[in-house]
Amino acid sequence: MAANIQAPKGTRDILPKDSGAWQLVEDIMRDEASVHGFEEIRTPVFERTELFERSVGDTTDVVQKEMYTFLDKGNRSISLRPEGTAGVVRAVLEHALMNDGAPQKLYYLIPCYRYENTQEGRQREFHQFGCEAFGAAAPVADAALIALAHSIFERLGIRNLSLEINSIGCPKCRGEYHAALKAFLEASKGELCGTCLTRLEKNPMRILDCKTPSCGEITQNAPVMKDYLCSECAEHFTAVQEYLDAAEIAYTVNPRIVRGLDYYTRTVFEFISNDLGAQSTVCGGGRYDGLVKQMGGAQTPALGFAMGMERLLLVMQAQNITLPRPPVCELYIAPLGRQAQVKAFAFTNLLHQAGIKAECDLCDRSLKAQMKYADKIGAVFTMVLGDEELKQNCAELKHMQTGEKTSISLGEGFLTEFVAVATQTEDNAAMGLDGLTVDFEGFEIFEKED
Ligand code: ATP
Ligand code: MG
């Protein structure tokens, strides 16, 4: 017999036991982005290879080593997106979104692809939540973006993240710095890795970001950009810090943060976790004032960040953060006999229409087996439907945790009676049954005021 096919290296199935946590995290991200005035953008999973070469930069690890590139049947070079910014910039230009006014604030939740050496927190298919803002040059925009990322971590209950910020200047001041850095590195040129040798000519600052230990040692005492900032960049960076202070967001200035992609200017930042091993950067971002123009658009200041979903979930796991998991089933109806099965199905359907998670037997199981199943899926209530119940037109609603039983009519009042019983139980909040409206706290305030 042929061997079973397994998922490709570096990919992971997200199984039902975990997808609930993913959804909760995603919901918080979407909600927080929307609170901050960001709207979702969805772009293709693949783009023309050129897009990434021109935007991410052809001296980066991402483009040089990690891209999934292939020729399609029309002989075009296509790449799976290694990150989200390039596609967003392309879409902003292609649809002239800046004509709608500045700033344009966009977010995305996407799978990305990089041909990496796989490790914990480093996969070939991984997921990013990212935010990008276009048309905002003021330092308050940098702080606002950092504040958005920060508030997501707060809402997720993640602790011990350090925010490290730096400024990598603008093309004007970077020239002098590059010259100084090059002069410094020239002495140890022979010991640099192959990639860094190319970087030395094209973008020497990126050598500070090299993961090869020997390169790390060489750059230990290298000059840093912070000391070469022009007055505009220095003022901008000081102002970013003032805004962060005003919002009481703690940070440290780390002059060695340069970010892995070529397009950054001025502010760059990372949120780093102490609970992850080598893959400790949970979120990275910064300003990229030159990218839109470089891609053929008008000069447009812009900035963004991306956080890795897998790493975020690993930190949450390491910190034992559990998100409230709503029950999979609120009412399990166990029918006995054909007539009861039809009735159970009709009731289940009615409950579904009211947005209640209900299930009935789909496997022709015995009552005992059905109860075992209801227990396994964690049904909050169960209700047995047999001949006697049908004859009496009423049944018993059993709360599985407490064992408490309540009689319930099988007539027209069924739904109302079920909701009345269910909302009295302790799990009503978890069941999202508060008044059967919306389980979002903010809305309760409005309802109370009415
Ligand atoms: P690293 O230095 O760890 O390779 P990076 O600088 O390549 O990260 P970015 O391109 O800035 O990462 O991507 C933003 C975030 O996406 C990272 O901070 C990380 O959380 C996540 N990320 C990047 N690559 C991977 C990957 N291969 N697997 C899982 N998450 C990833
Ligand atoms: Mg990387």
Side-chain angles (χ1 to χ4, degrees):
M1 212 177 78
N4 287 345
I5 296 171
Q6 301 197 326
K9 186 176 173 191
T11 67
R12 269 199 197 161
D13 299 311
I14 298 163
L15 301 174
K17 71 177 173 55
D18 298 320
S19 59
W22 277 75
Q23 284 173 8
L24 287 166
V25 171
E26 288 165 359
D27 285 350
I28 287 178
M29 289 170 163
R30 287 180 188 284
D31 186 57
E32 205 53 39
S34 142
V35 164
H36 288 245
F38 283 67
E39 289 178 301
E40 188 180 13
I41 184 163
R42 300 188 190 198
T43 64
V45 165
F46 61 86
E47 297 270 1
R48 290 169 54 174
T49 303
E50 227 187 308
L51 176 74
F52 302 115
E53 287 171 348
R54 273 176 53 191
S55 61
V56 178
D58 50 13
T59 59
T60 56
D61 278 359
V62 171
V63 168
Q64 281 201 340
K65 304 184 198 158
E66 299 169 1
M67 268 209 309
Y68 275 90
T69 300
F70 58 94
L71 288 180
D72 72 3
K73 291 192 198 314
N75 239 13
R76 301 171 195 91
S77 181
I78 294 290
S79 296
L80 300 185
R81 66 173 164 225
E83 53 93 66
T85 308
V88 172
V89 170
R90 180 200 48 70
V92 165
L93 290 176
E94 196 166 327
H95 305 282
L97 293 189
M98 292 314 291
N99 288 351
D100 297 339
Q104 286 292 315
K105 298 187 281 180
L106 307 165
Y107 80 86
Y108 51 81
L109 259 162
I110 55 168
C112 296
Y113 302 85
R114 295 186 192 177
Y115 195 79
E116 304 237 36
N117 289 323
T118 56
Q119 300 161 52
E120 182 86 323
R122 190 175 294 285
Q123 295 173 204
R124 293 186 175 172
E125 181 186 63
F126 62 100
H127 298 78
Q128 282 189 345
F129 166 75
C131 290
E132 317 281 351
F134 296 89
V140 63
D142 307 50
L145 201 82
I146 292 173
L148 166 53
H150 182 261
S151 56
I152 288 174
F153 297 130
E154 293 264 290
R155 273 189 68 179
L156 290 171
I158 295 176
R159 303 171 305 273
N160 299 335
L161 280 187
S162 49
L163 167 61
E164 305 200 345
I165 65 170
N166 188 24
S167 173
I168 56 168
C170 64
K172 206 172 80 187
C173 47
R174 218 178 287 160
E176 198 193 330
Y177 171 64
H178 276 176
L181 183 61
K182 260 174 146 171
F184 174 88
L185 291 169
E186 212 56 53
S188 347
K189 201 172 163 182
E191 293 148 56
L192 290 175
C193 74
T195 319
C196 283
L197 272 180
T198 329
R199 287 173 178 153
L200 190 59
E201 293 316 312
K202 289 194 166 179
N203 190 355
M205 188 167 60
R206 294 263 302 102
I207 298 177
L208 296 185
D209 195 47
C210 185
K211 304 240 159 52
T212 313
S214 54
C215 294
E217 270 166 41
I218 295 166
T219 57
Q220 204 73 62
N221 298 313
V224 289
M225 184 67 227
K226 202 165 77 70
D227 300 329
Y228 289 80
L229 296 178
C230 64
S231 59
E232 288 95 333
C233 286
E235 270 168 39
H236 194 277
F237 191 44
T238 306
V240 172
Q241 295 172 61
E242 276 168 17
Y243 286 112
L244 290 176
D245 293 339
E248 294 180 11
I249 296 173
Y251 62 88
T252 50
V253 174
N254 177 352
R256 293 184 61 89
I257 300 257
V258 295
R259 306 292 305 125
L261 312 178
D262 274 356
Y263 49 58
Y264 288 105
T265 52
R266 292 193 164 169
T267 316
V268 289
F269 60 92
E270 290 186 358
F271 284 88
I272 297 167
S273 167
N274 305 318
D275 293 299
L276 295 176
Q279 277 57 252
S280 56
T281 307
V282 179
C283 172
R287 186 168 269 290
Y288 49 92
D289 288 345
L291 183 61
V292 175
K293 188 166 182 202
Q294 187 187 312
M295 299 306 290
Q299 173 55 38
T300 311
L303 64 165
F305 68 75
M307 39 180 94
M309 294 289 293
E310 283 80 0
R311 288 190 200 172
L312 204 66
L313 286 154
L314 282 171
V315 177
M316 291 175 67
Q317 201 179 26
Q319 298 188 357
N320 287 320
I321 299 172
T322 47
L323 294 168
R325 249 179 94 112
V328 174
C329 178
E330 287 152 356
L331 174 57
Y332 180 84
I333 306 179
L336 298 170
R338 177 91 181 97
Q339 209 195 337
Q341 276 178 329
V342 175
K343 197 89 178 167
F345 175 69
F347 275 133
T348 309
N349 230 15
L350 186 73
L351 289 156
H352 289 167
Q353 283 164 15
I356 294 164
K357 294 173 188 167
E359 282 193 43
C360 62
D361 178 43
L362 300 179
C363 305
D364 272 336
R365 281 177 171 139
S366 69
L367 181 61
K368 198 175 156 205
Q370 288 194 55
M371 285 308 164
K372 211 170 144 190
Y373 171 76
D375 200 39
K376 196 182 101 185
I377 61 171
V380 182
F381 290 97
T382 54
M383 183 176 95
V384 177
L385 271 194
D387 290 344
E388 194 52 30
E389 282 80 7
L390 293 185
K391 208 166 85 193
Q392 301 294 332
N393 210 32
C394 90
E396 271 187 341
L397 207 55
K398 183 179 172 191
H399 188 269
M400 293 293 275
Q401 287 264 295
T402 61
E404 196 179 322
K405 290 180 179 168
T406 318
S407 171
I408 181 169
S409 148
L410 296 178
E412 265 184 22
F414 172 75
L415 198 57
T416 335
E417 284 183 36
F418 173 72
V419 171
V421 176
T423 45
Q424 276 168 17
T425 69
E426 276 179 20
D427 339 51
N428 73 59
M431 287 167 69
L433 282 175
D434 324 62
L436 254 189
T437 48
V438 207
D439 60 348
F440 182 60
E441 282 177 11
F443 282 89
E444 281 178 14
I445 299 166
F446 295 129
E447 280 172 11
K448 275 177 206 146
E449 278 176 354
D450 274 351

